[in-house]
Amino acid sequence: MKFVPKKPPLTGETLDSLTALLAARGEPAFRAKQILGWLYKRRARSWDAMTDLPKALRSWLDETFSLMPATLVLNRHSADVTDKLLLELEDGSLIETVIIRAPQEGVGLDRSRKTICISTQVGCAMACAFCASGLAGLKRDLSAGEIVAQLLQVCYCEDARTPRAKAELASFDNIVVMGMGEPLANYDALIEALTTLNADWGLGFGARRITISTSGLVPKMLKLAEEPLGFRLAVSLHGATDEVRSRIMPVNKAYPLAKLIPAVRAFSERHGRMVTLEFILIEDVNDSLEQAAKLRDIAGDVHAHVNLIPYNTVDGLPWRRPGVERQEAFAEVLRRADLSVTLRREKGHDIAAACGQLRLKTEKKRETGT
Ligand code: SF4
């Protein structure tokens, strides 16, 4: 499921592919790096801004590529310091990119921990029962250029916040591929985009600070383990038994825990680093102490970090978040076993931060014209 734009985005080119295209036009070898430098380091917003390129080359670039395949339509700031960017692609599709700033004591907001969450698909086919992104199914995969464009849009927003000193992407602590879509279902575009994100001619962001989150596509997890760039892995577990997991995640029927857990272990052993198990706490679904005990056993077995996330309510879905006491009791079972565990106080509740909600609300408004 691919969209073919009139002009491919420049953000979809690598140094090698652009060098080859330019060589075919008789351009010197240094031009590709110069052009990508304008795009990623100097953040030119128009071809004319690339002032040290010959005019004829700028015209050719304009005829050949789109400079930015995603337009910012909304930047929703939330009171708890989360920014949600709603971006429109060339076919009118909407995607979400989120900036999460975690304030630290005694430190101003600009020096707080910052994470960017990016999307890899328009909609999602995985149909997790609790998720807004899966509600309307999968519309299409994003191209590598569209995935990279989200990060450039984040840079533009940061540049606007700090106009006197261009904020480098490196000032972000982490990038998580946890937005709309199942990243590993769009594997080739994902790896291409993350390679650009990591490259010194691209955005220069360290692979070890990039986490890919999957609902549990076991064969692709094993493939990812063999990638030379050592990305981090997070697995959306959300159920510590097959019965509970299958109730809310259809992927569990194809890849039940007996297949998923060994894949987590294999990834962790291959990279010598902890995998994160994500666990959204949903009232009366997976928040019992029995589930906590099973999760403790799994996490201990594969030596994983556990991230507990109280559920964000989604319009039209019946699920609710458990009360704080119940959340704490669940977390305590894990803490008592000396596991590495975080109980997230989630950001962005007031801006429809649960995956895919802002997009759904905006699409609904467009349909009804309200
Ligand atoms: S939780 Fe992730 S994998 Fe599941 S439907 Fe939502 S976007 Fe897709």
Side-chain angles (χ1 to χ4, degrees):
M1 240 179 283
K2 280 204 166 74
F3 163 66
V4 182
K6 281 193 206 111
K7 291 191 272 187
L10 185 60
T11 46
E13 298 298 324
T14 62
L15 182 61
D16 286 349
S17 67
L18 190 59
T19 302
L21 282 171
L22 291 166
R25 279 181 44 86
E27 297 287 347
F30 66 84
R31 284 282 185 232
K33 210 164 189 180
Q34 191 181 11
I35 293 165
L36 295 175
W38 273 111
L39 182 67
Y40 293 118
K41 308 281 190 286
R42 301 168 83 172
R43 301 216 263 283
R45 306 286 291 270
S46 73
W47 303 111
D48 281 342
M50 302 181 182
T51 45
D52 57 2
L53 299 182
K55 206 160 187 306
L57 178 57
R58 277 185 263 156
S59 302
W60 175 79
L61 287 167
D62 186 27
E63 283 158 21
T64 310
F65 297 109
S66 80
L67 186 55
M68 173 44 69
T71 311
L72 181 69
V73 288
L74 202 63
N75 181 353
R76 194 69 85 77
H77 300 278
S78 88
D80 66 2
V81 300
T82 299
D83 285 5
K84 192 151 214 180
L85 313 187
L86 190 68
L87 303 175
E88 181 167 9
L89 305 176
E90 288 173 11
D91 64 347
S93 295
L94 296 171
I95 55 169
E96 297 176 7
T97 306
V98 185
I99 303 171
I100 304 153
R101 296 187 178 82
Q104 288 161 278
E105 243 171 79
V107 172
L109 203 54
D110 285 331
R111 290 178 54 212
S112 58
R113 283 188 69 79
K114 290 186 288 183
T115 298
I116 305 167
C117 178
I118 59 173
S119 298
T120 51
Q121 297 182 306
V122 183
C124 185
M126 304 312 291
C128 301
F130 49 83
C131 171
S133 290
L135 276 179
L138 175 68
K139 187 171 171 194
R140 70 171 173 87
D141 288 335
L142 297 187
S143 67
E146 288 170 329
I147 298 171
V148 172
Q150 295 172 65
L151 294 152
L152 265 183
Q153 284 287 0
V154 169
C155 290
Y156 296 162
C157 290
E158 289 298 287
D159 290 346
R161 276 168 50 86
T162 52
R164 277 189 293 166
K166 275 199 172 184
E168 291 301 320
L169 201 67
S171 73
F172 282 86
D173 298 279
N174 300 293
I175 291 174
V176 293
V177 191
M178 284 184 191
M180 191 169 25
E182 163 53 62
L184 298 187
N186 188 14
Y187 191 90
D188 292 345
L190 171 74
I191 298 300
E192 223 180 295
L194 296 188
T195 302
T196 297
L197 178 54
N198 172 255
D200 58 359
W201 51 261
L203 285 159
F205 198 87
R208 284 166 180 249
R209 291 190 287 145
I210 300 171
T211 301
I212 299 168
S213 172
T214 181
S215 60
L217 296 184
V218 167
K220 296 288 172 60
M221 288 166 63
L222 298 174
K223 191 173 175 191
L224 185 68
E226 299 306 318
E227 291 291 339
L229 292 174
F231 304 114
R232 289 181 179 273
L233 180 70
V235 175
S236 298
L237 198 64
H238 308 329
T241 54
D242 282 324
E243 189 207 343
V244 170
R245 196 164 190 267
S246 293
R247 186 176 161 204
I248 50 178
M249 297 184 75
V251 67
N252 196 61
K253 296 191 178 92
Y255 303 112
L257 295 175
K259 289 184 178 168
L260 181 61
I261 302 305
V264 172
R265 190 184 297 111
F267 191 97
S268 166
E269 284 172 1
R270 181 83 178 78
H271 288 274
R273 258 179 281 138
M274 276 182 154
V275 169
T276 296
L277 299 177
E278 306 278 350
F279 204 95
I280 292 180
L281 289 170
I282 308 174
E283 188 178 70
D284 295 335
V285 174
N286 63 1
D287 63 338
S288 68
L289 296 184
E290 290 75 28
Q291 281 287 300
K294 298 267 187 208
L295 176 58
R296 173 198 62 203
D297 294 346
I298 293 171
D301 177 31
V302 296
H303 190 50
H305 172 78
V306 177
N307 192 20
L308 300 173
I309 310 154
Y311 183 63
N312 257 329
T313 47
V314 173
D315 286 350
L317 295 181
W319 318 100
R320 290 190 308 262
R321 75 167 46 185
V324 171
E325 263 178 38
R326 202 161 166 94
Q327 296 170 25
E328 285 294 341
F330 193 102
E332 196 50 33
V333 172
L334 302 164
R335 289 189 196 117
R336 275 205 307 267
D338 269 344
L339 290 170
S340 168
V341 54
T342 43
L343 174 57
R344 196 196 290 177
R345 292 284 158 231
E346 93 294 352
K347 310 286 174 204
H349 202 63
D350 63 330
I351 55 164
C355 171
Q357 286 207 74
L358 185 58
R359 164 183 171 250
L360 278 189
K361 283 184 178 173
T362 308
E363 281 188 341
K364 212 174 271 174
K365 268 190 196 164
R366 280 182 175 181
E367 278 163 21
T368 57
T370 56

